[in-house]
Amino acid sequence: MTKDDIKRRISVFILGLGLSGFGVAMTTQAGLGTTPISSLPYVLCEIFSFSFGTFTFVFNLALIFGQLLLLKKEFTPAQYLQIPVTLLFSCVIDLVMFLLSGLTVEAYPARIALLLAGCVTLGFGIALQVVAEAIYIPGEGLVRAIAAKLKKEFGIIKTVFDSGMVTMAVILSLACCQAVVGFREGTIIAALIVGSIVRFFIHRLQPVREWCRASRLEQA
């Protein structure tokens, strides 16, 4: 892999990372529940009154540890770069949440529109990270590791994984808050469609994938 390849992959990855953070914030700001992958951090921030980004960072550290347990020797030292990536992703979420804090969406159709826009933005951001083939944020990295081990399509495992996160978040919120926190119809919608959105964009981002590999292909 040449330096030019690395620069291209990093640029695509950073764009995907920013879009993913923006998508998470948009769906949460819609007020119809947060995204499935963010449901546990959201419940934790409600319980302990820390920022959404703070618990996103802590939660993602746990996902990195999960990858380490799953991949073992296949978990390369470069994958530890997910830690600073997670920090950046968490800061993006807190920043966008702050920027959107003044946005008031009352009408239900407008909330649905904001939710769907957030899901599309999130799915596109994740797809960019996948085709960049650089570093993944821990949630996507763990899904990718599970998909590789099970030899299943990334988007399918993503849907199953997100559904599992929602289930655990509901159980935790009921146990600690005596109410369902951060889970509404928007969470279900996101759980059902984000994986499909990721698959849709991955199949159409082949030119971006080839651009990231351009130097290697030219040498061949």
Side-chain angles (χ1 to χ4, degrees):
M1 185 185 302
T2 67
K3 290 183 179 180
D4 190 42
D5 284 336
I6 293 174
K7 290 178 181 178
R8 293 183 183 197
R9 292 185 183 204
I10 289 176
S11 64
V12 172
F13 172 79
I14 291 177
L15 175 60
L17 183 71
L19 288 172
S20 295
F22 202 91
V24 168
M26 287 173 67
T27 53
T28 304
Q29 196 63 30
L32 298 175
T34 188
T35 59
I37 187 63
S38 299
S39 54
L40 273 176
Y42 188 85
V43 170
L44 289 171
C45 79
E46 288 293 316
I47 295 173
F48 296 103
S49 300
F50 284 93
S51 74
F52 193 11
T54 297
F55 273 110
T56 296
F57 179 68
V58 173
F59 175 67
N60 278 279
L61 288 180
L63 296 182
I64 294 173
F65 183 67
Q67 291 177 60
L68 184 60
L69 291 178
L70 183 63
L71 297 175
K72 298 178 181 178
K73 293 182 179 180
E74 296 176 34
F75 189 88
T76 64
Q79 294 304 313
Y80 285 106
L81 290 174
Q82 290 179 79
I83 296 175
V85 164
T86 293
L87 179 60
L88 177 60
F89 178 67
S90 302
C91 289
V92 168
I93 289 176
D94 272 351
L95 175 61
V96 178
M97 289 290 289
F98 172 75
L99 294 176
L100 296 180
S101 60
L103 178 64
T104 302
V105 182
E106 297 293 343
Y108 190 77
R111 289 188 175 193
I112 289 291
L114 181 59
L115 170 74
L116 294 177
C119 288
V120 172
T121 304
L122 175 60
F124 185 55
I126 293 171
L128 283 173
Q129 293 172 62
V130 172
V131 301
E133 298 178 330
I135 306 165
Y136 298 90
I137 58 174
E140 314 316 327
L142 182 57
V143 170
R144 187 169 183 262
I146 294 172
K149 289 293 183 180
L150 298 179
K151 294 181 171 56
K152 298 293 184 181
E153 188 176 351
F154 178 91
I156 294 174
I157 299 300
K158 171 68 177 171
T159 300
V160 174
F161 181 80
D162 285 355
S163 300
M165 292 298 101
V166 170
T167 300
M168 292 195 304
V170 169
I171 293 173
L172 180 63
S173 64
L174 286 173
C176 298
C177 304
Q178 288 73 54
V180 176
V181 176
F183 176 80
R184 283 187 57 178
E185 62 271 32
T187 309
I188 298 174
I189 292 171
L192 294 175
I193 71 173
V194 170
S196 297
I197 292 170
V198 172
R199 292 199 300 275
F200 174 85
F201 281 120
I202 285 177
H203 293 318
R204 287 158 179 80
L205 286 173
Q206 187 60 29
V208 177
R209 190 192 299 270
E210 292 174 356
W211 180 77
C212 291
R213 301 174 175 178
S215 296
R216 185 170 61 188
L217 293 174
E218 288 170 2
Q219 289 178 354

